[in-house]
Amino acid sequence: MRYIDNRDVNEAVTEMMRVLGPHDAEDWSVPAGPLEWSCWTTAAHIAHDLLAYAGQIAARPTDAYLPFDLAVRPDSSPREVLQVVTACAGLLGSALATAGPEARAWHWGPCDSSGFAAMGVAEVLLHTHDITQGLGVPWLPPAPLCAAVLHRLFPEAPPGDPAHVLLWCTGRGDLEDRPRRTSWIWRAAVAE
């Protein structure tokens, strides 16, 4: 398995735009699949997390998240929110491209750039899936990106189709004879 990096973040966001862009005129006030958030709020959350990860890997704090936040104007259209996601993904991608594999920043412990890339990809894929469920759009995240996320963030993941396994690992789906997860944590921090 190759090192997950900025190219994977770009690929995930490109896929998100491909899937959701044609539906940006629909009602995004509906719940995003199993979430309590609306589709709009879920998309804004993706942008928020991508920006937070970019800030962390750029500034490299060792003990906390930086004290800033993203505020997407509440009157923004779904198309505008998707543009914000694209911008934040670009910032994360740029920060990752310049950080190098030795960089460390805080995410519940020291996290390397591949961890931030994997979390960014996971946020995009999982919440795009939530939004597609809310909008009634059939879609599964691409298997290669899911496999990369599983390898980096869920090393204990069972074998199987990567998209279904990732959804199961994050409490979003059933997996053969395994009960649906009701809680989960990914492993972004690295042992030093």
Side-chain angles (χ1 to χ4, degrees):
M1 180 67 57
R2 77 170 174 77
Y3 182 83
I4 189 168
D5 61 21
N6 61 303
R7 294 170 294 179
D8 301 292
V9 173
N10 295 336
E11 185 179 337
V13 171
T14 298
E15 176 66 6
M16 178 187 184
M17 296 309 138
R18 183 192 71 75
V19 172
L20 295 179
H23 302 281
D24 64 6
E26 294 178 24
D27 180 7
W28 283 45
S29 67
V30 299
L35 304 181
E36 293 179 9
W37 295 335
S38 70
C39 293
W40 188 99
T41 301
T42 303
H45 167 80
I46 296 169
H48 169 272
D49 283 1
L50 295 174
L51 182 63
Y53 299 156
Q56 289 303 101
I57 201 66
R60 301 185 191 169
T62 59
D63 60 354
Y65 263 91
L66 296 175
F68 76 97
D69 210 347
L70 173 68
V72 179
R73 284 188 228 134
D75 62 343
S76 300
S77 69
R79 176 173 293 166
E80 291 169 323
V81 178
L82 290 175
Q83 289 174 327
V84 175
V85 172
T86 300
C88 292
L91 293 170
L92 176 57
S94 295
L96 290 167
T98 60
E102 75 288 344
R104 299 289 185 272
W106 190 84
H107 180 84
W108 309 106
C111 183
D112 63 358
S113 56
S114 73
F116 283 104
M119 290 188 296
V121 171
E123 290 289 342
V124 170
L125 297 181
L126 294 167
H127 289 312
T128 296
H129 185 262
D130 296 332
I131 294 168
T132 60
Q133 285 193 305
L135 298 177
V137 176
W139 179 80
L140 280 175
L145 288 173
C146 292
V149 168
L150 288 168
H151 179 76
R152 178 57 183 81
L153 299 179
F154 295 99
E156 79 291 348
D161 172 76
H164 289 103
V165 172
L166 181 59
L167 293 173
W168 176 81
C169 282
T170 58
R172 288 172 168 82
D174 298 317
L175 192 62
E176 298 163 6
D177 60 345
R178 297 174 186 267
R180 183 177 288 230
R181 283 185 156 182
T182 56
S183 66
W184 54 273
I185 297 174
W186 56 39
R187 294 186 193 168
V190 292
E192 296 287 33

